Amino acid sequence: MTEHDSDKLFLGQAIEMAAYGMRNNEGGPFGAVIVKDGIIVGRGNNKVTSTNDPTAHAEVVAIRDACKNLNTFQLTGCTLYTSCEPCPMCLAAIYWARPDRVVYGCSKEDAAAIEFDDAFIYNEIQLAISDRKMLMQQLNRDEAKKVFDEWAAKVDKTSY
């Protein structure tokens, strides 16, 4: 089986996860699987509305599942297959999880066409904090920075 064939197969599994979750009213029409060495190690479908968790997007659910199953916090050597181009939150989570690559089906424009439009988040990220729609205020930096300084000096930390 070629890489292209296996990509199509695993992307099909992600699309099936999207259909499953949507049909069971667990959340929006999004699904993801994570594969390592030709084996699915993590699965997820959108569960935002069924769990009242705005972070329960398919990719995040799949990342949590894969990390639990592999007993690791990084997904090096893995491919994430998702039914739709990741939103900004999921994209950030994917970068933190560090899979080797991402394969997706629908585009962010396809998602926007069915009222899952993340353009406002992409736009907000580019703005200075003072120009964003959501009020953000910095307080107690000196107190908070003491913990950062302690982390920087910690000799038994697990870096990531």
Side-chain angles (χ1 to χ4, degrees):
M1 181 181 296
T2 69
E3 183 175 67
H4 179 73
D5 291 336
S6 63
D7 283 347
K8 287 177 74 171
L9 174 76
F10 290 123
L11 185 55
Q13 293 290 306
I15 294 166
E16 285 182 25
M17 292 294 300
Y20 171 84
M22 176 193 64
R23 292 175 184 148
N24 286 293
N25 295 318
E26 293 182 4
F30 304 96
V33 297
I34 297 174
V35 175
K36 184 169 188 167
D37 300 325
I39 298 168
I40 295 176
V41 295
R43 298 176 189 272
N45 58 273
N46 184 291
K47 296 184 178 192
V48 169
T49 58
S50 62
T51 62
N52 294 320
D53 179 355
T55 69
H57 289 200
E59 297 91 338
V60 172
V61 173
I63 288 168
R64 290 172 180 163
D65 189 43
C67 288
K68 178 181 173 189
N69 292 334
L70 295 173
N71 194 32
T72 184
F73 55 85
Q74 293 186 341
L75 298 175
T76 306
C78 295
T79 299
L80 187 148
Y81 296 89
T82 179
S83 63
C84 185
E85 182 177 357
C87 75
M89 177 187 71
C90 292
L91 186 59
I94 291 165
Y95 272 100
W96 279 114
R98 295 179 175 88
D100 291 355
R101 64 193 188 107
V102 175
V103 178
Y104 64 91
C106 292
S107 68
K108 61 185 175 187
E109 292 80 14
D110 295 327
I114 61 165
E115 300 184 6
F116 288 95
D117 189 358
D118 300 320
F120 76 97
I121 298 172
Y122 285 107
N123 293 336
E124 285 282 302
I125 289 170
Q126 298 176 52
L127 298 175
I129 290 173
S130 60
D131 295 333
R132 293 181 183 165
K133 291 179 182 172
M134 183 176 294
L135 176 64
M136 300 184 87
Q137 182 179 10
Q138 184 178 24
L139 290 174
N140 295 0
R141 179 181 179 271
D142 291 340
E143 184 180 344
K145 191 162 178 325
K146 288 177 186 175
V147 180
F148 275 20
D149 293 341
E150 185 177 338
W151 171 261
K154 188 172 172 56
V155 294
D156 63 342
K157 64 186 168 198
T158 301
S159 296
Y160 57 99

PDB file of all heavy atoms in Angstrom, residues 74-109:
ATOM      1  N   GLN A  74       4.101  13.817  23.694  1.00  0.00           N
ATOM      2  CA  GLN A  74       4.462  14.247  22.340  1.00  0.00           C
ATOM      3  C   GLN A  74       4.198  13.119  21.365  1.00  0.00           C
ATOM      4  O   GLN A  74       4.410  11.948  21.681  1.00  0.00           O
ATOM      5  CB  GLN A  74       5.922  14.678  22.284  1.00  0.00           C
ATOM      6  CG  GLN A  74       6.152  15.935  23.092  1.00  0.00           C
ATOM      7  CD  GLN A  74       7.553  16.482  22.937  1.00  0.00           C
ATOM      8  OE1 GLN A  74       8.461  15.796  22.520  1.00  0.00           O
ATOM      9  NE2 GLN A  74       7.714  17.746  23.283  1.00  0.00           N
ATOM     10  N   LEU A  75       3.736  13.493  20.182  1.00  0.00           N
ATOM     11  CA  LEU A  75       3.319  12.499  19.187  1.00  0.00           C
ATOM     12  C   LEU A  75       4.288  12.417  18.007  1.00  0.00           C
ATOM     13  O   LEU A  75       3.876  12.242  16.857  1.00  0.00           O
ATOM     14  CB  LEU A  75       1.898  12.819  18.717  1.00  0.00           C
ATOM     15  CG  LEU A  75       0.846  12.753  19.826  1.00  0.00           C
ATOM     16  CD1 LEU A  75      -0.510  13.202  19.312  1.00  0.00           C
ATOM     17  CD2 LEU A  75       0.775  11.343  20.410  1.00  0.00           C
ATOM     18  N   THR A  76       5.561  12.510  18.309  1.00  0.00           N
ATOM     19  CA  THR A  76       6.590  12.349  17.289  1.00  0.00           C
ATOM     20  C   THR A  76       6.425  10.980  16.633  1.00  0.00           C
ATOM     21  O   THR A  76       6.162   9.988  17.308  1.00  0.00           O
ATOM     22  CB  THR A  76       7.988  12.462  17.931  1.00  0.00           C
ATOM     23  OG1 THR A  76       8.053  13.688  18.658  1.00  0.00           O
ATOM     24  CG2 THR A  76       9.086  12.417  16.893  1.00  0.00           C
ATOM     25  N   GLY A  77       6.550  10.955  15.305  1.00  0.00           N
ATOM     26  CA  GLY A  77       6.396   9.697  14.577  1.00  0.00           C
ATOM     27  C   GLY A  77       4.963   9.399  14.193  1.00  0.00           C
ATOM     28  O   GLY A  77       4.678   8.361  13.609  1.00  0.00           O
ATOM     29  N   CYS A  78       4.046  10.311  14.521  1.00  0.00           N
ATOM     30  CA  CYS A  78       2.626  10.111  14.238  1.00  0.00           C
ATOM     31  C   CYS A  78       2.158  11.038  13.117  1.00  0.00           C
ATOM     32  O   CYS A  78       2.763  12.068  12.846  1.00  0.00           O
ATOM     33  CB  CYS A  78       1.782  10.414  15.482  1.00  0.00           C
ATOM     34  SG  CYS A  78       2.058   9.299  16.870  1.00  0.00           S
ATOM     35  N   THR A  79       1.049  10.641  12.508  1.00  0.00           N
ATOM     36  CA  THR A  79       0.328  11.490  11.565  1.00  0.00           C
ATOM     37  C   THR A  79      -1.071  11.695  12.112  1.00  0.00           C
ATOM     38  O   THR A  79      -1.709  10.742  12.554  1.00  0.00           O
ATOM     39  CB  THR A  79       0.251  10.848  10.164  1.00  0.00           C
ATOM     40  OG1 THR A  79       1.585  10.674   9.663  1.00  0.00           O
ATOM     41  CG2 THR A  79      -0.536  11.716   9.194  1.00  0.00           C
ATOM     42  N   LEU A  80      -1.521  12.943  12.079  1.00  0.00           N
ATOM     43  CA  LEU A  80      -2.876  13.266  12.496  1.00  0.00           C
ATOM     44  C   LEU A  80      -3.721  13.445  11.240  1.00  0.00           C
ATOM     45  O   LEU A  80      -3.365  14.221  10.356  1.00  0.00           O
ATOM     46  CB  LEU A  80      -2.890  14.545  13.332  1.00  0.00           C
ATOM     47  CG  LEU A  80      -4.233  14.903  13.972  1.00  0.00           C
ATOM     48  CD1 LEU A  80      -4.008  15.603  15.299  1.00  0.00           C
ATOM     49  CD2 LEU A  80      -5.096  15.754  13.085  1.00  0.00           C
ATOM     50  N   TYR A  81      -4.798  12.687  11.161  1.00  0.00           N
ATOM     51  CA  TYR A  81      -5.757  12.784  10.061  1.00  0.00           C
ATOM     52  C   TYR A  81      -7.013  13.428  10.610  1.00  0.00           C
ATOM     53  O   TYR A  81      -7.536  12.990  11.638  1.00  0.00           O
ATOM     54  CB  TYR A  81      -6.088  11.392   9.510  1.00  0.00           C
ATOM     55  CG  TYR A  81      -4.903  10.705   8.892  1.00  0.00           C
ATOM     56  CD1 TYR A  81      -4.046   9.915   9.652  1.00  0.00           C
ATOM     57  CD2 TYR A  81      -4.634  10.844   7.531  1.00  0.00           C
ATOM     58  CE1 TYR A  81      -2.944   9.300   9.089  1.00  0.00           C
ATOM     59  CE2 TYR A  81      -3.536  10.224   6.955  1.00  0.00           C
ATOM     60  CZ  TYR A  81      -2.701   9.452   7.737  1.00  0.00           C
ATOM     61  OH  TYR A  81      -1.607   8.843   7.160  1.00  0.00           O
ATOM     62  N   THR A  82      -7.479  14.472   9.957  1.00  0.00           N
ATOM     63  CA  THR A  82      -8.647  15.180  10.441  1.00  0.00           C
ATOM     64  C   THR A  82      -9.580  15.510   9.286  1.00  0.00           C
ATOM     65  O   THR A  82      -9.123  15.796   8.179  1.00  0.00           O
ATOM     66  CB  THR A  82      -8.250  16.447  11.236  1.00  0.00           C
ATOM     67  OG1 THR A  82      -9.424  17.117  11.674  1.00  0.00           O
ATOM     68  CG2 THR A  82      -7.372  17.372  10.442  1.00  0.00           C
ATOM     69  N   SER A  83     -10.856  15.445   9.553  1.00  0.00           N
ATOM     70  CA  SER A  83     -11.851  15.652   8.501  1.00  0.00           C
ATOM     71  C   SER A  83     -11.884  17.077   7.986  1.00  0.00           C
ATOM     72  O   SER A  83     -12.439  17.340   6.928  1.00  0.00           O
ATOM     73  CB  SER A  83     -13.234  15.234   9.002  1.00  0.00           C
ATOM     74  OG  SER A  83     -13.638  16.049  10.083  1.00  0.00           O
ATOM     75  N   CYS A  84     -11.264  18.002   8.728  1.00  0.00           N
ATOM     76  CA  CYS A  84     -11.285  19.410   8.328  1.00  0.00           C
ATOM     77  C   CYS A  84      -9.982  20.082   8.748  1.00  0.00           C
ATOM     78  O   CYS A  84      -9.395  19.719   9.776  1.00  0.00           O
ATOM     79  CB  CYS A  84     -12.474  20.125   8.973  1.00  0.00           C
ATOM     80  SG  CYS A  84     -12.688  21.842   8.432  1.00  0.00           S
ATOM     81  N   GLU A  85      -9.558  21.046   7.978  1.00  0.00           N
ATOM     82  CA  GLU A  85      -8.391  21.851   8.321  1.00  0.00           C
ATOM     83  C   GLU A  85      -8.551  22.357   9.753  1.00  0.00           C
ATOM     84  O   GLU A  85      -9.592  22.893  10.117  1.00  0.00           O
ATOM     85  CB  GLU A  85      -8.303  23.022   7.343  1.00  0.00           C
ATOM     86  CG  GLU A  85      -7.125  23.925   7.518  1.00  0.00           C
ATOM     87  CD  GLU A  85      -7.073  25.029   6.466  1.00  0.00           C
ATOM     88  OE1 GLU A  85      -7.934  25.061   5.556  1.00  0.00           O
ATOM     89  OE2 GLU A  85      -6.161  25.868   6.572  1.00  0.00           O
ATOM     90  N   PRO A  86      -7.543  22.176  10.589  1.00  0.00           N
ATOM     91  CA  PRO A  86      -7.676  22.539  12.004  1.00  0.00           C
ATOM     92  C   PRO A  86      -7.928  24.022  12.242  1.00  0.00           C
ATOM     93  O   PRO A  86      -7.376  24.879  11.555  1.00  0.00           O
ATOM     94  CB  PRO A  86      -6.332  22.126  12.602  1.00  0.00           C
ATOM     95  CG  PRO A  86      -5.809  21.086  11.672  1.00  0.00           C
ATOM     96  CD  PRO A  86      -6.278  21.500  10.308  1.00  0.00           C
ATOM     97  N   CYS A  87      -8.768  24.300  13.241  1.00  0.00           N
ATOM     98  CA  CYS A  87      -9.023  25.667  13.680  1.00  0.00           C
ATOM     99  C   CYS A  87      -7.771  26.174  14.414  1.00  0.00           C
ATOM    100  O   CYS A  87      -6.857  25.399  14.694  1.00  0.00           O
ATOM    101  CB  CYS A  87     -10.247  25.700  14.598  1.00  0.00           C
ATOM    102  SG  CYS A  87      -9.927  25.066  16.258  1.00  0.00           S
ATOM    103  N   PRO A  88      -7.721  27.449  14.765  1.00  0.00           N
ATOM    104  CA  PRO A  88      -6.533  27.981  15.452  1.00  0.00           C
ATOM    105  C   PRO A  88      -6.206  27.259  16.762  1.00  0.00           C
ATOM    106  O   PRO A  88      -5.032  27.005  17.050  1.00  0.00           O
ATOM    107  CB  PRO A  88      -6.898  29.449  15.704  1.00  0.00           C
ATOM    108  CG  PRO A  88      -7.872  29.787  14.631  1.00  0.00           C
ATOM    109  CD  PRO A  88      -8.670  28.525  14.417  1.00  0.00           C
ATOM    110  N   MET A  89      -7.219  26.934  17.560  1.00  0.00           N
ATOM    111  CA  MET A  89      -6.960  26.237  18.821  1.00  0.00           C
ATOM    112  C   MET A  89      -6.348  24.867  18.561  1.00  0.00           C
ATOM    113  O   MET A  89      -5.354  24.480  19.179  1.00  0.00           O
ATOM    114  CB  MET A  89      -8.249  26.076  19.641  1.00  0.00           C
ATOM    115  CG  MET A  89      -8.038  25.295  20.932  1.00  0.00           C
ATOM    116  SD  MET A  89      -9.562  24.913  21.809  1.00  0.00           S
ATOM    117  CE  MET A  89     -10.295  23.686  20.736  1.00  0.00           C
ATOM    118  N   CYS A  90      -6.944  24.132  17.638  1.00  0.00           N
ATOM    119  CA  CYS A  90      -6.450  22.790  17.336  1.00  0.00           C
ATOM    120  C   CYS A  90      -5.072  22.843  16.701  1.00  0.00           C
ATOM    121  O   CYS A  90      -4.216  22.007  16.997  1.00  0.00           O
ATOM    122  CB  CYS A  90      -7.437  22.057  16.437  1.00  0.00           C
ATOM    123  SG  CYS A  90      -8.973  21.668  17.288  1.00  0.00           S
ATOM    124  N   LEU A  91      -4.865  23.822  15.840  1.00  0.00           N
ATOM    125  CA  LEU A  91      -3.556  23.967  15.217  1.00  0.00           C
ATOM    126  C   LEU A  91      -2.481  24.188  16.279  1.00  0.00           C
ATOM    127  O   LEU A  91      -1.413  23.562  16.229  1.00  0.00           O
ATOM    128  CB  LEU A  91      -3.575  25.126  14.217  1.00  0.00           C
ATOM    129  CG  LEU A  91      -2.320  25.313  13.380  1.00  0.00           C
ATOM    130  CD1 LEU A  91      -2.008  24.068  12.559  1.00  0.00           C
ATOM    131  CD2 LEU A  91      -2.484  26.520  12.468  1.00  0.00           C
ATOM    132  N   ALA A  92      -2.769  25.022  17.260  1.00  0.00           N
ATOM    133  CA  ALA A  92      -1.813  25.235  18.347  1.00  0.00           C
ATOM    134  C   ALA A  92      -1.585  23.945  19.132  1.00  0.00           C
ATOM    135  O   ALA A  92      -0.442  23.594  19.441  1.00  0.00           O
ATOM    136  CB  ALA A  92      -2.309  26.350  19.266  1.00  0.00           C
ATOM    137  N   ALA A  93      -2.657  23.225  19.434  1.00  0.00           N
ATOM    138  CA  ALA A  93      -2.520  21.956  20.164  1.00  0.00           C
ATOM    139  C   ALA A  93      -1.702  20.950  19.361  1.00  0.00           C
ATOM    140  O   ALA A  93      -0.883  20.210  19.917  1.00  0.00           O
ATOM    141  CB  ALA A  93      -3.901  21.385  20.488  1.00  0.00           C
ATOM    142  N   ILE A  94      -1.916  20.930  18.056  1.00  0.00           N
ATOM    143  CA  ILE A  94      -1.166  20.019  17.183  1.00  0.00           C
ATOM    144  C   ILE A  94       0.319  20.367  17.224  1.00  0.00           C
ATOM    145  O   ILE A  94       1.177  19.485  17.355  1.00  0.00           O
ATOM    146  CB  ILE A  94      -1.726  20.052  15.749  1.00  0.00           C
ATOM    147  CG1 ILE A  94      -3.119  19.405  15.718  1.00  0.00           C
ATOM    148  CG2 ILE A  94      -0.784  19.380  14.769  1.00  0.00           C
ATOM    149  CD1 ILE A  94      -3.926  19.698  14.461  1.00  0.00           C
ATOM    150  N   TYR A  95       0.639  21.651  17.127  1.00  0.00           N
ATOM    151  CA  TYR A  95       2.045  22.040  17.208  1.00  0.00           C
ATOM    152  C   TYR A  95       2.661  21.633  18.540  1.00  0.00           C
ATOM    153  O   TYR A  95       3.800  21.173  18.597  1.00  0.00           O
ATOM    154  CB  TYR A  95       2.218  23.540  16.967  1.00  0.00           C
ATOM    155  CG  TYR A  95       2.383  23.874  15.501  1.00  0.00           C
ATOM    156  CD1 TYR A  95       1.312  24.352  14.750  1.00  0.00           C
ATOM    157  CD2 TYR A  95       3.603  23.703  14.854  1.00  0.00           C
ATOM    158  CE1 TYR A  95       1.458  24.654  13.407  1.00  0.00           C
ATOM    159  CE2 TYR A  95       3.763  24.000  13.514  1.00  0.00           C
ATOM    160  CZ  TYR A  95       2.685  24.483  12.786  1.00  0.00           C
ATOM    161  OH  TYR A  95       2.835  24.767  11.464  1.00  0.00           O
ATOM    162  N   TRP A  96       1.910  21.800  19.644  1.00  0.00           N
ATOM    163  CA  TRP A  96       2.427  21.386  20.950  1.00  0.00           C
ATOM    164  C   TRP A  96       2.614  19.875  21.012  1.00  0.00           C
ATOM    165  O   TRP A  96       3.565  19.389  21.633  1.00  0.00           O
ATOM    166  CB  TRP A  96       1.501  21.838  22.076  1.00  0.00           C
ATOM    167  CG  TRP A  96       1.702  23.274  22.466  1.00  0.00           C
ATOM    168  CD1 TRP A  96       0.806  24.294  22.321  1.00  0.00           C
ATOM    169  CD2 TRP A  96       2.864  23.854  23.073  1.00  0.00           C
ATOM    170  NE1 TRP A  96       1.335  25.471  22.792  1.00  0.00           N
ATOM    171  CE2 TRP A  96       2.613  25.231  23.259  1.00  0.00           C
ATOM    172  CE3 TRP A  96       4.093  23.343  23.458  1.00  0.00           C
ATOM    173  CZ2 TRP A  96       3.539  26.100  23.827  1.00  0.00           C
ATOM    174  CZ3 TRP A  96       5.017  24.209  24.025  1.00  0.00           C
ATOM    175  CH2 TRP A  96       4.735  25.564  24.200  1.00  0.00           C
ATOM    176  N   ALA A  97       1.727  19.115  20.379  1.00  0.00           N
ATOM    177  CA  ALA A  97       1.813  17.651  20.423  1.00  0.00           C
ATOM    178  C   ALA A  97       2.923  17.115  19.523  1.00  0.00           C
ATOM    179  O   ALA A  97       3.395  15.997  19.718  1.00  0.00           O
ATOM    180  CB  ALA A  97       0.474  17.041  20.033  1.00  0.00           C
ATOM    181  N   ARG A  98       3.294  17.864  18.507  1.00  0.00           N
ATOM    182  CA  ARG A  98       4.423  17.552  17.630  1.00  0.00           C
ATOM    183  C   ARG A  98       4.293  16.271  16.799  1.00  0.00           C
ATOM    184  O   ARG A  98       5.261  15.505  16.697  1.00  0.00           O
ATOM    185  CB  ARG A  98       5.727  17.531  18.418  1.00  0.00           C
ATOM    186  CG  ARG A  98       6.103  18.892  18.986  1.00  0.00           C
ATOM    187  CD  ARG A  98       7.412  18.813  19.780  1.00  0.00           C
ATOM    188  NE  ARG A  98       7.843  20.112  20.227  1.00  0.00           N
ATOM    189  CZ  ARG A  98       7.482  20.687  21.358  1.00  0.00           C
ATOM    190  NH1 ARG A  98       6.653  20.080  22.179  1.00  0.00           N
ATOM    191  NH2 ARG A  98       7.939  21.872  21.683  1.00  0.00           N
ATOM    192  N   PRO A  99       3.145  16.026  16.168  1.00  0.00           N
ATOM    193  CA  PRO A  99       3.133  14.914  15.201  1.00  0.00           C
ATOM    194  C   PRO A  99       4.006  15.307  14.009  1.00  0.00           C
ATOM    195  O   PRO A  99       4.339  16.493  13.837  1.00  0.00           O
ATOM    196  CB  PRO A  99       1.658  14.813  14.796  1.00  0.00           C
ATOM    197  CG  PRO A  99       1.134  16.201  14.971  1.00  0.00           C
ATOM    198  CD  PRO A  99       1.878  16.753  16.174  1.00  0.00           C
ATOM    199  N   ASP A 100       4.359  14.329  13.192  1.00  0.00           N
ATOM    200  CA  ASP A 100       5.200  14.607  12.032  1.00  0.00           C
ATOM    201  C   ASP A 100       4.459  15.368  10.941  1.00  0.00           C
ATOM    202  O   ASP A 100       5.048  16.162  10.220  1.00  0.00           O
ATOM    203  CB  ASP A 100       5.757  13.311  11.442  1.00  0.00           C
ATOM    204  CG  ASP A 100       6.771  12.642  12.357  1.00  0.00           C
ATOM    205  OD1 ASP A 100       7.116  13.226  13.412  1.00  0.00           O
ATOM    206  OD2 ASP A 100       7.222  11.533  12.021  1.00  0.00           O
ATOM    207  N   ARG A 101       3.158  15.098  10.812  1.00  0.00           N
ATOM    208  CA  ARG A 101       2.386  15.762   9.764  1.00  0.00           C
ATOM    209  C   ARG A 101       0.901  15.673  10.031  1.00  0.00           C
ATOM    210  O   ARG A 101       0.456  14.920  10.897  1.00  0.00           O
ATOM    211  CB  ARG A 101       2.716  15.220   8.381  1.00  0.00           C
ATOM    212  CG  ARG A 101       2.372  13.793   8.162  1.00  0.00           C
ATOM    213  CD  ARG A 101       3.023  13.253   6.878  1.00  0.00           C
ATOM    214  NE  ARG A 101       2.505  11.929   6.611  1.00  0.00           N
ATOM    215  CZ  ARG A 101       1.644  11.632   5.651  1.00  0.00           C
ATOM    216  NH1 ARG A 101       1.214  12.565   4.821  1.00  0.00           N
ATOM    217  NH2 ARG A 101       1.225  10.407   5.489  1.00  0.00           N
ATOM    218  N   VAL A 102       0.146  16.451   9.256  1.00  0.00           N
ATOM    219  CA  VAL A 102      -1.315  16.501   9.342  1.00  0.00           C
ATOM    220  C   VAL A 102      -1.871  16.330   7.936  1.00  0.00           C
ATOM    221  O   VAL A 102      -1.375  16.931   6.991  1.00  0.00           O
ATOM    222  CB  VAL A 102      -1.793  17.858   9.917  1.00  0.00           C
ATOM    223  CG1 VAL A 102      -3.321  17.971   9.893  1.00  0.00           C
ATOM    224  CG2 VAL A 102      -1.256  18.066  11.328  1.00  0.00           C
ATOM    225  N   VAL A 103      -2.905  15.495   7.823  1.00  0.00           N
ATOM    226  CA  VAL A 103      -3.627  15.312   6.562  1.00  0.00           C
ATOM    227  C   VAL A 103      -5.081  15.660   6.853  1.00  0.00           C
ATOM    228  O   VAL A 103      -5.652  15.155   7.815  1.00  0.00           O
ATOM    229  CB  VAL A 103      -3.508  13.860   6.048  1.00  0.00           C
ATOM    230  CG1 VAL A 103      -4.307  13.667   4.775  1.00  0.00           C
ATOM    231  CG2 VAL A 103      -2.040  13.479   5.837  1.00  0.00           C
ATOM    232  N   TYR A 104      -5.679  16.536   6.036  1.00  0.00           N
ATOM    233  CA  TYR A 104      -7.048  16.957   6.305  1.00  0.00           C
ATOM    234  C   TYR A 104      -7.919  16.890   5.063  1.00  0.00           C
ATOM    235  O   TYR A 104      -7.431  16.896   3.938  1.00  0.00           O
ATOM    236  CB  TYR A 104      -7.082  18.357   6.923  1.00  0.00           C
ATOM    237  CG  TYR A 104      -6.582  19.479   6.049  1.00  0.00           C
ATOM    238  CD1 TYR A 104      -7.459  20.184   5.225  1.00  0.00           C
ATOM    239  CD2 TYR A 104      -5.244  19.841   6.054  1.00  0.00           C
ATOM    240  CE1 TYR A 104      -7.007  21.229   4.427  1.00  0.00           C
ATOM    241  CE2 TYR A 104      -4.780  20.881   5.264  1.00  0.00           C
ATOM    242  CZ  TYR A 104      -5.668  21.570   4.449  1.00  0.00           C
ATOM    243  OH  TYR A 104      -5.213  22.598   3.660  1.00  0.00           O
ATOM    244  N   GLY A 105      -9.233  16.850   5.304  1.00  0.00           N
ATOM    245  CA  GLY A 105     -10.216  16.776   4.233  1.00  0.00           C
ATOM    246  C   GLY A 105     -10.730  18.143   3.840  1.00  0.00           C
ATOM    247  O   GLY A 105     -10.196  18.792   2.943  1.00  0.00           O
ATOM    248  N   CYS A 106     -11.763  18.619   4.502  1.00  0.00           N
ATOM    249  CA  CYS A 106     -12.373  19.919   4.176  1.00  0.00           C
ATOM    250  C   CYS A 106     -11.431  21.065   4.547  1.00  0.00           C
ATOM    251  O   CYS A 106     -10.577  20.923   5.419  1.00  0.00           O
ATOM    252  CB  CYS A 106     -13.693  20.087   4.929  1.00  0.00           C
ATOM    253  SG  CYS A 106     -14.992  18.970   4.381  1.00  0.00           S
ATOM    254  N   SER A 107     -11.636  22.214   3.892  1.00  0.00           N
ATOM    255  CA  SER A 107     -10.843  23.402   4.184  1.00  0.00           C
ATOM    256  C   SER A 107     -11.559  24.265   5.224  1.00  0.00           C
ATOM    257  O   SER A 107     -12.744  24.069   5.511  1.00  0.00           O
ATOM    258  CB  SER A 107     -10.646  24.223   2.908  1.00  0.00           C
ATOM    259  OG  SER A 107     -11.885  24.781   2.502  1.00  0.00           O
ATOM    260  N   LYS A 108     -10.842  25.259   5.744  1.00  0.00           N
ATOM    261  CA  LYS A 108     -11.466  26.199   6.679  1.00  0.00           C
ATOM    262  C   LYS A 108     -12.574  26.983   5.985  1.00  0.00           C
ATOM    263  O   LYS A 108     -13.540  27.381   6.625  1.00  0.00           O
ATOM    264  CB  LYS A 108     -10.436  27.114   7.341  1.00  0.00           C
ATOM    265  CG  LYS A 108      -9.657  27.994   6.419  1.00  0.00           C
ATOM    266  CD  LYS A 108      -8.579  28.762   7.182  1.00  0.00           C
ATOM    267  CE  LYS A 108      -7.724  29.563   6.227  1.00  0.00           C
ATOM    268  NZ  LYS A 108      -6.583  30.167   6.898  1.00  0.00           N
ATOM    269  N   GLU A 109     -12.463  27.176   4.676  1.00  0.00           N
ATOM    270  CA  GLU A 109     -13.527  27.835   3.928  1.00  0.00           C
ATOM    271  C   GLU A 109     -14.772  26.957   3.847  1.00  0.00           C
ATOM    272  O   GLU A 109     -15.897  27.453   3.923  1.00  0.00           O
ATOM    273  CB  GLU A 109     -13.037  28.209   2.518  1.00  0.00           C
ATOM    274  CG  GLU A 109     -11.972  29.295   2.497  1.00  0.00           C
ATOM    275  CD  GLU A 109     -10.555  28.819   2.822  1.00  0.00           C
ATOM    276  OE1 GLU A 109     -10.303  27.588   2.817  1.00  0.00           O
ATOM    277  OE2 GLU A 109      -9.698  29.665   3.096  1.00  0.00           O
TER     278      GLU A 109
END
